[in-house]
Structure formats: C-alpha cells, structure tokens
Amino acid sequence: MSVLTPTRPTAAEEHSQGVALERESRHVRWNKILCGIALGICFWFSVPYQFPYVQENDPKLAAAVESQAYAGSISRQVSMPILFCIGLYMLWRLPRRGNLRGLLMVLALLYAGWAVLSIAWSADPSITGKRLIVFAIDAFLAYVIARAFSMMEMALLGFCATAGVALIALYVETVKLAELAPFDPDYRFMGVTTANYMAMSLVVCVFCALTLLEHRRRWAVWLIPSTLLALTLLVLTRSRVSTAIVILMLAIMLNKIARDFFSPQVRAMVLFGALAVMVPAAIFFVGRSGSSAAQMAFMMGRSDTENTSNLSNRAPLWSELMESVERNPWLGVGYDAFWTPARVESVSADQGWAVPHAHNTYLDQALSLGVVGAALYAAMVWSAVVLAWRRYRRDSSAASLFAAVLLTWLALEGLAESVPLDPYLPTLLAYACIAKMCMAEGSDAVAVEEIEPAPEAVRQQFAASHSRQLLLQGRGR
C-alpha cells in the first residue's frame, strides 16, 4: 500500500487561487458596505427624527407628539420590516463569525424569554404584542450585526451613521433654523431630535472615531477634526450625563492611543505641557469666580440651576413611577405596556414636562417586566461590561476597548436615560456588543482583515489550506 505524497501547488496555481479568493473577499466587502448603507438609511427612518426638530413648549402636546411618533409613525412601520429583510440577507450572504456559548448567552435568553412571556399578564396585550415584534426585530439585528461585522466594521458603521446625523443636525441648526447660539445658556444643540438623544449619538460618534483612529492611523487627517467637531457639538447639547461619561472614557481611550503612538518621553512632555496650561487656568477661574465656576462647569452653562437638586426633574418623576412599580412589583404590566399614550399624557401633566419614558432604563424595565425582568436585564448588561473589560485586559486591542467602552456607556447612560433595545443605531451597536460577548473569545476571527483586504496574507492562507487538503486526500488513499 503506497501513501500518496502531497504535492506543493505551483506558483501559477497559488496565484490563480489567491486571486480567486481575493475576488471573493472583495465581493464580501462590497456586500458589507451596501448592507451598512441600507442599515443606516433604514435606521434613520425607524427612529422618529424630525427635519427640523422643533421642541414643543406645551408639555401635553409635546408628550402626545412624541408618543404618537414612536407608536404610529408610517416610516417606522415601513422601515422595521425592511431592516428585518436586510438582516436575513446578511445572514445568507455574509460569513458568520463566532461561536455562541457561556453564561451571558443564558442570561440574554432568559431576559428575552421573560419579555415574551409577559404578554400573558400584560395590562394591554395588543400593545405588548406589537412592541414585542419590534423587540424581536431589534434583537435579531443586534445578533446579525455581531455575527456579520467585526468590531472595526461596527465602528466604521457607527461613525458614518452618527457623523451623518450630526452633520444633518448642524445644517438644520445653522441654515434651516438659524438658531445656533453657543453662548446662550438656554440653548441646547438638537437639530433632528432631542438634546439628550443627540448627545448619545455624538458620544458613540466620538468612541467610533477614536477606535478607527487607532486602527488606521492614516485616517487621522479627517478623524481628528471629526472627533473635535463631535466633542464641540456634545458640549453644546449640555447633556451632563453623556459628557461625564465621555470624559471618563476619553481618558482611557486617549491614554491607549498615546501609548501606541508616542514614546514615554513624548507622553511626559505632552502631559507636562497640558498641566502647565490647565492648572493656572483653573486657579484663575476658581479664584476669580469662586464656587460659581464649579457650578457653571457642573451645569455646563445652563441657567436652570433650580433643577440641579432634583436631577433635572428626574427625582420627582422616579418617585411617582416607583408607586406604579409597587402595584405590580414582580411581573410588571407587560413588555413596554406601561407607556401608553394615555399614561404618557397623564404623567406629563403631573410632572409639568413631556415624559415619554422613565429617564432610567432599569426603572423602565421594572415598570414593564417587574423586579424579575429588571434584575435579568441588569445582570445581562453588567455581566457584559465585566466580560468586555476582562477581554480587554487580556489582549489590549482597539476592538476590545471599543466593546468595553460602548457597554460601559450603555450601562451608565441607563441610570439617567431610557436606552432599551430599540432601532436607534447608537444603542443597538452597544447591544450588538452584548451579542459579541456571548461568543467564545477569539472565535469571531476571520481570514480577511477588517475594513481593508490583505491580498498576500489571503493568498498564503489559501495556499496553506490547499496543502492541508491534499495531505488529507493522500492519507485517505
């Protein structure tokens, strides 16, 4: 019995095979680009952006408009099925990454299962049923994005989408409405949505830009100005929670970029120069204005100082909503069934301002799914945060840091804003990171490099794979 010795492919065969694989790689890449563009367009229409956004002064009218936009927007009803079809196409045509396993996946399934079961005890089964359909599509999209896109491709998608929204909003504020007034203490940058949601979009834009900057240094010529513009607009939204989170995460991300880009001597010089400017400036302003300087920094220039003690009217709202939680503490009133149009109007009238949600994700979960659902949600999100930072400590890559930063932002933002699973791209990317954390570490690596191809590496891998196949065939004979 003779053993067939595998023959090494010739240079011409390696070249032709490598070219074929490179062509397939280019096809996949263009498929991802087109799918990303389609997702960005549909996400725009699935969220009730307004062009331009005009804030209603009457709380009752503002609450009614916002509730109706989320519940019955024609664009939302059309775009959600299209998003589902795009997700199906991506699963069919794009390579799938990662192997799902682990405790976090169990927690995510338990939370999703509890949300679905809530239709059995919902106070309004028709509303719960409709919103569970949206929830299912959103969860499916988060799964698809995690399986089809790498972290860098997610960062590129997030940057293009959020930067596009920021530019549209800037056009609205400067040209269409001509209301840009950065030195007015009552002005907040909005453009196409509320100031707080605009701030969340800008936060994700900054995170995506810095992640891409570390991964592709030659893009710095347009990423750095984009980041500075996004930070400036974020300050103009005067959203304190989002700005505080950005400052915290920015310190971590810039420290990593500095360690990767500069030598220790250069980093020390930059730090010394920054301190030489910032410390005297801080002493000057504090010495001149006293406690008012600290208050102005905390308020970000806003004049509504009377609302500081009650967390911008959130404390009275949470107190009222906790009474509703106590009526159905364990089960809640059904997934997303609490915020009916009638209840939005009622709570808004009690509080004296438009209240379409609890301004706290965990409280919203308790209202909808009870203490059990809120505990499952919190366990899922914070477990993903811990897992993401552990993975970053092990490999210290830009992709791992991006996932950790996005998940930390999602968990902290939920303390002062409602950021549930929804077709709002910035938060959906964070939920896609939860799906990434459900994958076995390292299992989502693929042969083709992220964002840009590496033809020579692809050819070498294909040649090695071809040699292994010949060896197996020889052993079989």
Side-chain angles (χ1 to χ4, degrees), residues 443-461:
S443 65
D444 61 337
V446 294
V448 182
E449 280 193 2
E450 300 151 334
I451 300 177
E452 294 184 356
E456 188 59 34
V458 170
R459 293 192 189 101
Q460 291 176 1
Q461 181 163 2

mmCIF file with all atom_site columns, all heavy atoms in Angstrom, residues 443-461:
data_model
loop_
_atom_site.group_PDB
_atom_site.id
_atom_site.type_symbol
_atom_site.label_atom_id
_atom_site.label_alt_id
_atom_site.label_comp_id
_atom_site.label_asym_id
_atom_site.label_entity_id
_atom_site.label_seq_id
_atom_site.pdbx_PDB_ins_code
_atom_site.Cartn_x
_atom_site.Cartn_y
_atom_site.Cartn_z
_atom_site.occupancy
_atom_site.B_iso_or_equiv
_atom_site.pdbx_formal_charge
_atom_site.auth_seq_id
_atom_site.auth_comp_id
_atom_site.auth_asym_id
_atom_site.auth_atom_id
_atom_site.pdbx_PDB_model_num
ATOM 1   N N   . SER A 1 443 ? -13.278 33.486 18.839 1.00 0.00 ? 443 SER A N   1
ATOM 2   C CA  . SER A 1 443 ? -13.943 32.656 17.835 1.00 0.00 ? 443 SER A CA  1
ATOM 3   C C   . SER A 1 443 ? -14.474 33.467 16.666 1.00 0.00 ? 443 SER A C   1
ATOM 4   O O   . SER A 1 443 ? -14.880 32.893 15.653 1.00 0.00 ? 443 SER A O   1
ATOM 5   C CB  . SER A 1 443 ? -15.101 31.877 18.467 1.00 0.00 ? 443 SER A CB  1
ATOM 6   O OG  . SER A 1 443 ? -16.116 32.754 18.915 1.00 0.00 ? 443 SER A OG  1
ATOM 7   N N   . ASP A 1 444 ? -14.495 34.814 16.781 1.00 0.00 ? 444 ASP A N   1
ATOM 8   C CA  . ASP A 1 444 ? -15.033 35.614 15.691 1.00 0.00 ? 444 ASP A CA  1
ATOM 9   C C   . ASP A 1 444 ? -13.939 36.101 14.746 1.00 0.00 ? 444 ASP A C   1
ATOM 10  O O   . ASP A 1 444 ? -14.193 36.915 13.868 1.00 0.00 ? 444 ASP A O   1
ATOM 11  C CB  . ASP A 1 444 ? -15.815 36.811 16.237 1.00 0.00 ? 444 ASP A CB  1
ATOM 12  C CG  . ASP A 1 444 ? -14.940 37.744 17.061 1.00 0.00 ? 444 ASP A CG  1
ATOM 13  O OD1 . ASP A 1 444 ? -13.909 37.275 17.570 1.00 0.00 ? 444 ASP A OD1 1
ATOM 14  O OD2 . ASP A 1 444 ? -15.301 38.928 17.201 1.00 0.00 ? 444 ASP A OD2 1
ATOM 15  N N   . ALA A 1 445 ? -12.704 35.616 14.903 1.00 0.00 ? 445 ALA A N   1
ATOM 16  C CA  . ALA A 1 445 ? -11.631 35.987 13.983 1.00 0.00 ? 445 ALA A CA  1
ATOM 17  C C   . ALA A 1 445 ? -11.852 35.316 12.636 1.00 0.00 ? 445 ALA A C   1
ATOM 18  O O   . ALA A 1 445 ? -12.288 34.172 12.553 1.00 0.00 ? 445 ALA A O   1
ATOM 19  C CB  . ALA A 1 445 ? -10.279 35.559 14.553 1.00 0.00 ? 445 ALA A CB  1
ATOM 20  N N   . VAL A 1 446 ? -11.567 36.045 11.555 1.00 0.00 ? 446 VAL A N   1
ATOM 21  C CA  . VAL A 1 446 ? -11.727 35.518 10.201 1.00 0.00 ? 446 VAL A CA  1
ATOM 22  C C   . VAL A 1 446 ? -10.447 35.754 9.418  1.00 0.00 ? 446 VAL A C   1
ATOM 23  O O   . VAL A 1 446 ? -9.557  36.478 9.832  1.00 0.00 ? 446 VAL A O   1
ATOM 24  C CB  . VAL A 1 446 ? -12.911 36.188 9.474  1.00 0.00 ? 446 VAL A CB  1
ATOM 25  C CG1 . VAL A 1 446 ? -14.218 35.826 10.136 1.00 0.00 ? 446 VAL A CG1 1
ATOM 26  C CG2 . VAL A 1 446 ? -12.752 37.686 9.436  1.00 0.00 ? 446 VAL A CG2 1
ATOM 27  N N   . ALA A 1 447 ? -10.376 35.133 8.240  1.00 0.00 ? 447 ALA A N   1
ATOM 28  C CA  . ALA A 1 447 ? -9.159  35.215 7.444  1.00 0.00 ? 447 ALA A CA  1
ATOM 29  C C   . ALA A 1 447 ? -8.970  36.591 6.829  1.00 0.00 ? 447 ALA A C   1
ATOM 30  O O   . ALA A 1 447 ? -7.853  37.092 6.735  1.00 0.00 ? 447 ALA A O   1
ATOM 31  C CB  . ALA A 1 447 ? -9.191  34.166 6.332  1.00 0.00 ? 447 ALA A CB  1
ATOM 32  N N   . VAL A 1 448 ? -10.059 37.224 6.401  1.00 0.00 ? 448 VAL A N   1
ATOM 33  C CA  . VAL A 1 448 ? -9.946  38.512 5.737  1.00 0.00 ? 448 VAL A CA  1
ATOM 34  C C   . VAL A 1 448 ? -9.827  39.613 6.782  1.00 0.00 ? 448 VAL A C   1
ATOM 35  O O   . VAL A 1 448 ? -10.562 39.628 7.749  1.00 0.00 ? 448 VAL A O   1
ATOM 36  C CB  . VAL A 1 448 ? -11.184 38.761 4.847  1.00 0.00 ? 448 VAL A CB  1
ATOM 37  C CG1 . VAL A 1 448 ? -11.047 40.091 4.111  1.00 0.00 ? 448 VAL A CG1 1
ATOM 38  C CG2 . VAL A 1 448 ? -11.338 37.631 3.858  1.00 0.00 ? 448 VAL A CG2 1
ATOM 39  N N   . GLU A 1 449 ? -8.901  40.530 6.596  1.00 0.00 ? 449 GLU A N   1
ATOM 40  C CA  . GLU A 1 449 ? -8.706  41.612 7.549  1.00 0.00 ? 449 GLU A CA  1
ATOM 41  C C   . GLU A 1 449 ? -9.918  42.533 7.569  1.00 0.00 ? 449 GLU A C   1
ATOM 42  O O   . GLU A 1 449 ? -10.660 42.640 6.590  1.00 0.00 ? 449 GLU A O   1
ATOM 43  C CB  . GLU A 1 449 ? -7.461  42.425 7.179  1.00 0.00 ? 449 GLU A CB  1
ATOM 44  C CG  . GLU A 1 449 ? -6.186  41.760 7.631  1.00 0.00 ? 449 GLU A CG  1
ATOM 45  C CD  . GLU A 1 449 ? -5.011  42.712 7.547  1.00 0.00 ? 449 GLU A CD  1
ATOM 46  O OE1 . GLU A 1 449 ? -5.227  43.880 7.182  1.00 0.00 ? 449 GLU A OE1 1
ATOM 47  O OE2 . GLU A 1 449 ? -3.903  42.295 7.849  1.00 0.00 ? 449 GLU A OE2 1
ATOM 48  N N   . GLU A 1 450 ? -10.113 43.229 8.696  1.00 0.00 ? 450 GLU A N   1
ATOM 49  C CA  . GLU A 1 450 ? -11.238 44.132 8.850  1.00 0.00 ? 450 GLU A CA  1
ATOM 50  C C   . GLU A 1 450 ? -10.999 45.403 8.051  1.00 0.00 ? 450 GLU A C   1
ATOM 51  O O   . GLU A 1 450 ? -9.902  45.937 8.007  1.00 0.00 ? 450 GLU A O   1
ATOM 52  C CB  . GLU A 1 450 ? -11.426 44.476 10.331 1.00 0.00 ? 450 GLU A CB  1
ATOM 53  C CG  . GLU A 1 450 ? -11.702 43.247 11.176 1.00 0.00 ? 450 GLU A CG  1
ATOM 54  C CD  . GLU A 1 450 ? -11.201 43.419 12.598 1.00 0.00 ? 450 GLU A CD  1
ATOM 55  O OE1 . GLU A 1 450 ? -10.260 44.206 12.790 1.00 0.00 ? 450 GLU A OE1 1
ATOM 56  O OE2 . GLU A 1 450 ? -11.737 42.751 13.491 1.00 0.00 ? 450 GLU A OE2 1
ATOM 57  N N   . ILE A 1 451 ? -12.053 45.901 7.405  1.00 0.00 ? 451 ILE A N   1
ATOM 58  C CA  . ILE A 1 451 ? -12.102 47.165 6.672  1.00 0.00 ? 451 ILE A CA  1
ATOM 59  C C   . ILE A 1 451 ? -11.299 47.097 5.377  1.00 0.00 ? 451 ILE A C   1
ATOM 60  O O   . ILE A 1 451 ? -11.790 47.438 4.333  1.00 0.00 ? 451 ILE A O   1
ATOM 61  C CB  . ILE A 1 451 ? -11.626 48.358 7.525  1.00 0.00 ? 451 ILE A CB  1
ATOM 62  C CG1 . ILE A 1 451 ? -12.531 48.495 8.751  1.00 0.00 ? 451 ILE A CG1 1
ATOM 63  C CG2 . ILE A 1 451 ? -11.647 49.635 6.716  1.00 0.00 ? 451 ILE A CG2 1
ATOM 64  C CD1 . ILE A 1 451 ? -12.096 49.604 9.680  1.00 0.00 ? 451 ILE A CD1 1
ATOM 65  N N   . GLU A 1 452 ? -10.064 46.624 5.425  1.00 0.00 ? 452 GLU A N   1
ATOM 66  C CA  . GLU A 1 452 ? -9.243  46.579 4.223  1.00 0.00 ? 452 GLU A CA  1
ATOM 67  C C   . GLU A 1 452 ? -8.712  45.167 4.008  1.00 0.00 ? 452 GLU A C   1
ATOM 68  O O   . GLU A 1 452 ? -8.415  44.455 4.962  1.00 0.00 ? 452 GLU A O   1
ATOM 69  C CB  . GLU A 1 452 ? -8.067  47.548 4.340  1.00 0.00 ? 452 GLU A CB  1
ATOM 70  C CG  . GLU A 1 452 ? -8.498  49.011 4.378  1.00 0.00 ? 452 GLU A CG  1
ATOM 71  C CD  . GLU A 1 452 ? -7.308  49.937 4.400  1.00 0.00 ? 452 GLU A CD  1
ATOM 72  O OE1 . GLU A 1 452 ? -6.172  49.428 4.462  1.00 0.00 ? 452 GLU A OE1 1
ATOM 73  O OE2 . GLU A 1 452 ? -7.506  51.159 4.352  1.00 0.00 ? 452 GLU A OE2 1
ATOM 74  N N   . PRO A 1 453 ? -8.596  44.735 2.747  1.00 0.00 ? 453 PRO A N   1
ATOM 75  C CA  . PRO A 1 453 ? -8.100  43.376 2.488  1.00 0.00 ? 453 PRO A CA  1
ATOM 76  C C   . PRO A 1 453 ? -6.582  43.312 2.569  1.00 0.00 ? 453 PRO A C   1
ATOM 77  O O   . PRO A 1 453 ? -5.893  44.323 2.497  1.00 0.00 ? 453 PRO A O   1
ATOM 78  C CB  . PRO A 1 453 ? -8.571  43.116 1.053  1.00 0.00 ? 453 PRO A CB  1
ATOM 79  C CG  . PRO A 1 453 ? -8.566  44.478 0.422  1.00 0.00 ? 453 PRO A CG  1
ATOM 80  C CD  . PRO A 1 453 ? -8.936  45.448 1.518  1.00 0.00 ? 453 PRO A CD  1
ATOM 81  N N   . ALA A 1 454 ? -6.066  42.116 2.737  1.00 0.00 ? 454 ALA A N   1
ATOM 82  C CA  . ALA A 1 454 ? -4.621  41.877 2.696  1.00 0.00 ? 454 ALA A CA  1
ATOM 83  C C   . ALA A 1 454 ? -4.366  40.751 1.695  1.00 0.00 ? 454 ALA A C   1
ATOM 84  O O   . ALA A 1 454 ? -4.333  39.591 2.068  1.00 0.00 ? 454 ALA A O   1
ATOM 85  C CB  . ALA A 1 454 ? -4.093  41.502 4.074  1.00 0.00 ? 454 ALA A CB  1
ATOM 86  N N   . PRO A 1 455 ? -4.241  41.069 0.407  1.00 0.00 ? 455 PRO A N   1
ATOM 87  C CA  . PRO A 1 455 ? -4.171  40.036 -0.625 1.00 0.00 ? 455 PRO A CA  1
ATOM 88  C C   . PRO A 1 455 ? -3.080  39.010 -0.396 1.00 0.00 ? 455 PRO A C   1
ATOM 89  O O   . PRO A 1 455 ? -3.302  37.818 -0.567 1.00 0.00 ? 455 PRO A O   1
ATOM 90  C CB  . PRO A 1 455 ? -3.918  40.854 -1.903 1.00 0.00 ? 455 PRO A CB  1
ATOM 91  C CG  . PRO A 1 455 ? -4.424  42.227 -1.591 1.00 0.00 ? 455 PRO A CG  1
ATOM 92  C CD  . PRO A 1 455 ? -4.186  42.415 -0.137 1.00 0.00 ? 455 PRO A CD  1
ATOM 93  N N   . GLU A 1 456 ? -1.883  39.448 0.000  1.00 0.00 ? 456 GLU A N   1
ATOM 94  C CA  . GLU A 1 456 ? -0.784  38.498 0.165  1.00 0.00 ? 456 GLU A CA  1
ATOM 95  C C   . GLU A 1 456 ? -1.070  37.529 1.299  1.00 0.00 ? 456 GLU A C   1
ATOM 96  O O   . GLU A 1 456 ? -0.841  36.324 1.180  1.00 0.00 ? 456 GLU A O   1
ATOM 97  C CB  . GLU A 1 456 ? 0.515   39.265 0.438  1.00 0.00 ? 456 GLU A CB  1
ATOM 98  C CG  . GLU A 1 456 ? 1.759   38.370 0.433  1.00 0.00 ? 456 GLU A CG  1
ATOM 99  C CD  . GLU A 1 456 ? 1.942   37.666 -0.895 1.00 0.00 ? 456 GLU A CD  1
ATOM 100 O OE1 . GLU A 1 456 ? 1.602   38.246 -1.943 1.00 0.00 ? 456 GLU A OE1 1
ATOM 101 O OE2 . GLU A 1 456 ? 2.403   36.503 -0.881 1.00 0.00 ? 456 GLU A OE2 1
ATOM 102 N N   . ALA A 1 457 ? -1.579  38.035 2.415  1.00 0.00 ? 457 ALA A N   1
ATOM 103 C CA  . ALA A 1 457 ? -1.921  37.170 3.538  1.00 0.00 ? 457 ALA A CA  1
ATOM 104 C C   . ALA A 1 457 ? -3.020  36.197 3.140  1.00 0.00 ? 457 ALA A C   1
ATOM 105 O O   . ALA A 1 457 ? -3.012  35.023 3.533  1.00 0.00 ? 457 ALA A O   1
ATOM 106 C CB  . ALA A 1 457 ? -2.372  38.011 4.735  1.00 0.00 ? 457 ALA A CB  1
ATOM 107 N N   . VAL A 1 458 ? -3.972  36.673 2.354  1.00 0.00 ? 458 VAL A N   1
ATOM 108 C CA  . VAL A 1 458 ? -5.053  35.797 1.904  1.00 0.00 ? 458 VAL A CA  1
ATOM 109 C C   . VAL A 1 458 ? -4.508  34.684 1.032  1.00 0.00 ? 458 VAL A C   1
ATOM 110 O O   . VAL A 1 458 ? -4.878  33.513 1.167  1.00 0.00 ? 458 VAL A O   1
ATOM 111 C CB  . VAL A 1 458 ? -6.118  36.628 1.138  1.00 0.00 ? 458 VAL A CB  1
ATOM 112 C CG1 . VAL A 1 458 ? -7.112  35.717 0.449  1.00 0.00 ? 458 VAL A CG1 1
ATOM 113 C CG2 . VAL A 1 458 ? -6.845  37.552 2.097  1.00 0.00 ? 458 VAL A CG2 1
ATOM 114 N N   . ARG A 1 459 ? -3.604  35.027 0.116  1.00 0.00 ? 459 ARG A N   1
ATOM 115 C CA  . ARG A 1 459 ? -3.024  34.011 -0.767 1.00 0.00 ? 459 ARG A CA  1
ATOM 116 C C   . ARG A 1 459 ? -2.261  32.958 0.030  1.00 0.00 ? 459 ARG A C   1
ATOM 117 O O   . ARG A 1 459 ? -2.363  31.760 -0.229 1.00 0.00 ? 459 ARG A O   1
ATOM 118 C CB  . ARG A 1 459 ? -2.084  34.677 -1.773 1.00 0.00 ? 459 ARG A CB  1
ATOM 119 C CG  . ARG A 1 459 ? -2.784  35.587 -2.778 1.00 0.00 ? 459 ARG A CG  1
ATOM 120 C CD  . ARG A 1 459 ? -1.830  35.953 -3.911 1.00 0.00 ? 459 ARG A CD  1
ATOM 121 N NE  . ARG A 1 459 ? -2.403  36.965 -4.755 1.00 0.00 ? 459 ARG A NE  1
ATOM 122 C CZ  . ARG A 1 459 ? -2.105  38.248 -4.706 1.00 0.00 ? 459 ARG A CZ  1
ATOM 123 N NH1 . ARG A 1 459 ? -1.226  38.670 -3.797 1.00 0.00 ? 459 ARG A NH1 1
ATOM 124 N NH2 . ARG A 1 459 ? -2.663  39.111 -5.518 1.00 0.00 ? 459 ARG A NH2 1
ATOM 125 N N   . GLN A 1 460 ? -1.479  33.419 1.013  1.00 0.00 ? 460 GLN A N   1
ATOM 126 C CA  . GLN A 1 460 ? -0.699  32.469 1.808  1.00 0.00 ? 460 GLN A CA  1
ATOM 127 C C   . GLN A 1 460 ? -1.609  31.532 2.597  1.00 0.00 ? 460 GLN A C   1
ATOM 128 O O   . GLN A 1 460 ? -1.352  30.329 2.666  1.00 0.00 ? 460 GLN A O   1
ATOM 129 C CB  . GLN A 1 460 ? 0.213   33.239 2.758  1.00 0.00 ? 460 GLN A CB  1
ATOM 130 C CG  . GLN A 1 460 ? 1.332   33.993 2.050  1.00 0.00 ? 460 GLN A CG  1
ATOM 131 C CD  . GLN A 1 460 ? 2.161   34.819 3.013  1.00 0.00 ? 460 GLN A CD  1
ATOM 132 O OE1 . GLN A 1 460 ? 1.920   34.816 4.218  1.00 0.00 ? 460 GLN A OE1 1
ATOM 133 N NE2 . GLN A 1 460 ? 3.146   35.538 2.481  1.00 0.00 ? 460 GLN A NE2 1
ATOM 134 N N   . GLN A 1 461 ? -2.686  32.084 3.156  1.00 0.00 ? 461 GLN A N   1
ATOM 135 C CA  . GLN A 1 461 ? -3.593  31.235 3.923  1.00 0.00 ? 461 GLN A CA  1
ATOM 136 C C   . GLN A 1 461 ? -4.279  30.233 3.005  1.00 0.00 ? 461 GLN A C   1
ATOM 137 O O   . GLN A 1 461 ? -4.482  29.078 3.366  1.00 0.00 ? 461 GLN A O   1
ATOM 138 C CB  . GLN A 1 461 ? -4.622  32.084 4.665  1.00 0.00 ? 461 GLN A CB  1
ATOM 139 C CG  . GLN A 1 461 ? -5.569  31.236 5.504  1.00 0.00 ? 461 GLN A CG  1
ATOM 140 C CD  . GLN A 1 461 ? -6.292  32.050 6.538  1.00 0.00 ? 461 GLN A CD  1
ATOM 141 O OE1 . GLN A 1 461 ? -6.107  33.251 6.607  1.00 0.00 ? 461 GLN A OE1 1
ATOM 142 N NE2 . GLN A 1 461 ? -7.114  31.403 7.334  1.00 0.00 ? 461 GLN A NE2 1
#
